[in-house]
Amino acid sequence: SASLEARAAELDRACGLARRALRQDLSAEGAWPGERAPGDRCDLSDGEDDLLDRLGGEAHQAYQTELGQLNDQVSGELTGLEGELVELRRRCRGWDEHAHLRFTCIKQQFRARRDLLLDRLGLEFPHLSREQLREHEALCDAMRFATERQAAAFRQWRRERLALLRRHAAQLETRLSAEDAAAARRRERLGQRERQRQLHGRLEAERVRASARRDERQRAEEQLRREQEAAEAERALSRRRRAQALQGLCQEHAERRREEQLLLQGERAEAERRAAAERAARAERSAEAVRLRRQMDELRRRELAGRRADAELERREREQRLQEALERLRVEAPRDPSRLLRVPSRAQVQAYSDPLVCVTRGPHAGFDEGRLMSDARYKISAALQAAGLFGTKAGHEVLAAVPAPRPAPPHVVSQVFAGGYPG
């Protein structure tokens, strides 16, 4: 959390202060041989102090050497730049601080308008010529450039010092990691040796136990082999006894089988004799049945022939009676062929003809008002014409929806000529 981080930072600062105080005390007493002068240390950070404390031997000396070279290099650069600044300040002695400040402010204001800068400086400093103003401007630019170079050199020195710190810290971490790995490998080798001794001890114990188990297994196998041999001998004896008993049983079975076959042969002969007797009796019964059936068939044929003779006699008698009846009922009239060509007398009578029938040719010959009004379509069309809707689409739809009248039944006969044919 934030409180823990703040507390850790405070503890770190307190440790750094205590370490510096202790180092100063030891240096004052001459007990800290590695302490350097503040000028040589160049205000090292706490990280560099910690790294110097952790480094030892050649790494400590190499880091001190490289840091000293870096400090000497930046000191030389800063000394040269400081000399240039001193020379530039010497050349600007004719300008007091107030005038130089006003000159700098005006130059800053007209930085984007170089064409108006000299005019504004001429108004501010009328006692100076343009050449003097340009010369002072060049001196100001040179001083600013030298100051920037000095700051850049200091920043570069800081970056190089940080890179040097990180590089040596990485080397230290690598060396410590390698040492830790080597120590871990040594510990692992020692552990492996210890485990090897333990495993050898366990192996010897296992060998002893395995030898004991092997001896015990051999004794058990020997005992089992003897038991198996005894059991095998007993089984062989039982097999021989069983074979002998089986042989006796086979002989007894063969004797019984022969006796059974003899009995079976006798039974078969007796059965064949009985079957032959039964077949002979059945043949006699069949012959008797055939004879009786033939007699019955003969009787049926005689009966059928008698029935046919009776039927023929009855038919002849019926024909004779019919012929006699025809002879008795025959018409006695002369032959008149011209009668077939004359109109019958009943057709010569004048029949009454109804005028309605003559005009309409009967109720089935046409349509009268009653039949027309009985059709719903005729009524609806008359109503639509009266309403003026007969030619409209709605009128057509209404007429199409009305079912047509059913046709006349096919068994109805026209009555047009019911009163006779016209004369």
Side-chain angles (χ1 to χ4, degrees):
S1 62
S3 60
L4 293 177
E5 292 178 358
R7 187 175 180 183
E10 292 177 0
L11 292 175
D12 192 11
R13 286 195 297 271
C15 291
L17 294 175
R19 188 168 56 250
R20 290 194 189 92
L22 179 61
R23 190 179 299 166
Q24 291 175 2
D25 295 338
L26 293 176
S27 299
E29 295 175 0
W32 186 263
E35 184 70 14
R36 296 170 297 164
D40 296 335
R41 291 180 60 196
C42 296
D43 296 330
L44 293 178
S45 63
D46 294 339
E48 292 174 336
D49 292 339
D50 295 339
L51 182 61
L52 287 172
D53 294 339
R54 294 170 62 188
L55 290 174
E58 296 180 358
H60 187 278
Q61 186 65 28
Y63 182 66
Q64 286 183 346
T65 302
E66 292 183 9
L67 188 59
Q69 292 176 359
L70 182 61
N71 292 336
D72 294 340
Q73 180 181 357
V74 72
S75 297
E77 292 180 2
L78 292 177
T79 301
L81 293 174
E82 186 65 28
E84 292 181 5
L85 288 174
V86 170
E87 180 64 23
L88 292 174
R89 292 191 188 97
R90 186 185 61 78
R91 293 173 62 183
C92 293
R93 286 180 181 177
W95 290 72
D96 56 357
E97 294 182 1
H98 182 67
H100 182 71
L101 179 61
R102 285 187 296 152
F103 184 88
T104 305
C105 292
I106 293 172
K107 183 180 179 183
Q108 185 69 21
Q109 291 176 359
F110 289 88
R111 181 175 54 186
R113 301 295 302 274
R114 298 288 299 175
D115 53 346
L116 301 178
L117 177 61
L118 293 178
D119 296 338
R120 179 65 181 86
L121 291 175
L123 294 176
E124 186 68 25
F125 304 100
H127 60 283
L128 296 177
S129 63
R130 286 180 174 268
E131 288 75 8
Q132 291 176 346
L133 293 174
R134 289 194 184 94
E135 183 180 358
H136 188 68
E137 182 182 3
L139 291 175
C140 290
D141 292 340
M143 290 175 64
R144 182 173 58 81
F145 180 66
T147 304
E148 290 178 355
R149 287 173 58 194
Q150 191 176 15
F154 185 75
R155 287 194 299 271
Q156 181 66 24
W157 169 72
R158 295 281 298 182
R159 286 194 294 269
E160 291 178 357
R161 189 179 68 169
L162 181 59
L164 180 63
L165 174 63
R166 290 178 177 176
R167 180 163 54 84
H168 280 275
Q171 292 177 359
L172 177 62
E173 293 296 334
T174 303
R175 182 169 58 83
L176 292 178
S177 300
E179 292 177 357
D180 293 341
R185 286 194 296 271
R186 285 195 299 273
R187 290 193 299 270
E188 186 177 0
R189 284 197 297 271
L190 293 176
Q192 289 179 355
R193 290 175 184 174
E194 183 64 25
R195 287 194 297 273
Q196 186 177 7
R197 285 195 297 271
Q198 294 176 1
L199 290 175
H200 278 296
R202 291 173 57 186
L203 180 60
E204 291 297 331
E206 289 293 334
R207 285 178 179 175
V208 173
R209 286 196 293 271
S211 178
R213 286 196 298 269
R214 185 170 59 255
D215 296 340
E216 182 67 24
R217 187 168 56 254
Q218 289 178 357
R219 288 193 296 270
E221 290 177 356
E222 183 66 23
Q223 181 68 21
L224 180 61
R225 185 178 59 79
R226 288 195 296 268
E227 292 177 357
Q228 288 178 355
E229 289 177 355
E232 186 66 27
E234 186 176 356
R235 283 196 296 271
L237 180 60
S238 63
R239 281 197 298 270
R240 286 195 298 271
R241 292 175 181 175
R242 190 165 53 251
Q244 293 175 0
L246 183 60
Q247 187 176 4
L249 291 175
C250 289
Q251 292 177 358
E252 293 178 1
H253 179 69
E255 292 293 335
R256 286 197 302 270
R257 187 66 180 274
R258 283 194 296 271
E259 293 176 359
E260 290 177 357
Q261 287 180 356
L262 292 175
L263 292 175
L264 184 59
Q265 290 177 1
E267 291 177 357
R268 286 179 180 175
E270 183 66 22
E272 290 178 357
R273 186 181 60 78
R274 287 196 299 269
E278 290 178 358
R279 284 196 298 273
R282 191 165 51 252
E284 292 178 359
R285 289 194 299 272
S286 298
E288 184 66 21
V290 169
R291 185 178 61 78
L292 293 176
R293 187 175 292 110
R294 287 177 180 175
Q295 292 178 1
M296 292 175 65
D297 292 341
E298 184 65 23
L299 292 175
R300 288 194 186 95
R301 282 195 298 272
R302 291 177 182 177
E303 184 178 359
L304 182 59
R307 289 178 181 176
R308 288 177 180 175
D310 295 341
E312 182 66 20
L313 180 60
E314 185 179 358
R315 184 181 63 78
R316 290 177 181 177
E317 291 178 355
R318 189 168 52 253
E319 289 180 356
Q320 186 177 359
R321 288 195 299 272
L322 180 61
Q323 188 67 27
E324 291 176 356
L326 290 175
E327 289 294 335
R328 286 195 304 269
L329 298 176
R330 186 173 54 184
V331 178
E332 295 293 340
R335 294 179 61 85
D336 188 6
S338 62
R339 182 176 59 85
L340 300 175
L341 301 177
R342 291 195 301 268
V343 178
S345 58
R346 61 182 180 83
Q348 296 178 3
V349 178
Q350 186 68 27
Y352 174 75
S353 298
D354 190 0
L356 179 62
V357 174
C358 294
V359 173
T360 61
R361 298 179 62 190
H364 294 282
F367 295 94
D368 55 1
E369 186 178 358
R371 292 190 64 185
L372 289 175
M373 293 306 293
S374 64
D375 191 353
R377 295 178 297 176
Y378 181 77
K379 294 180 181 179
I380 292 174
S381 62
L384 291 174
Q385 288 178 357
L389 300 175
F390 183 77
T392 61
K393 184 177 180 180
H396 294 170
E397 292 179 355
V398 170
L399 286 176
V402 176
R406 291 181 297 177
H411 61 276
V412 177
V413 181
S414 177
Q415 301 294 328
V416 175
F417 300 103
Y421 294 98

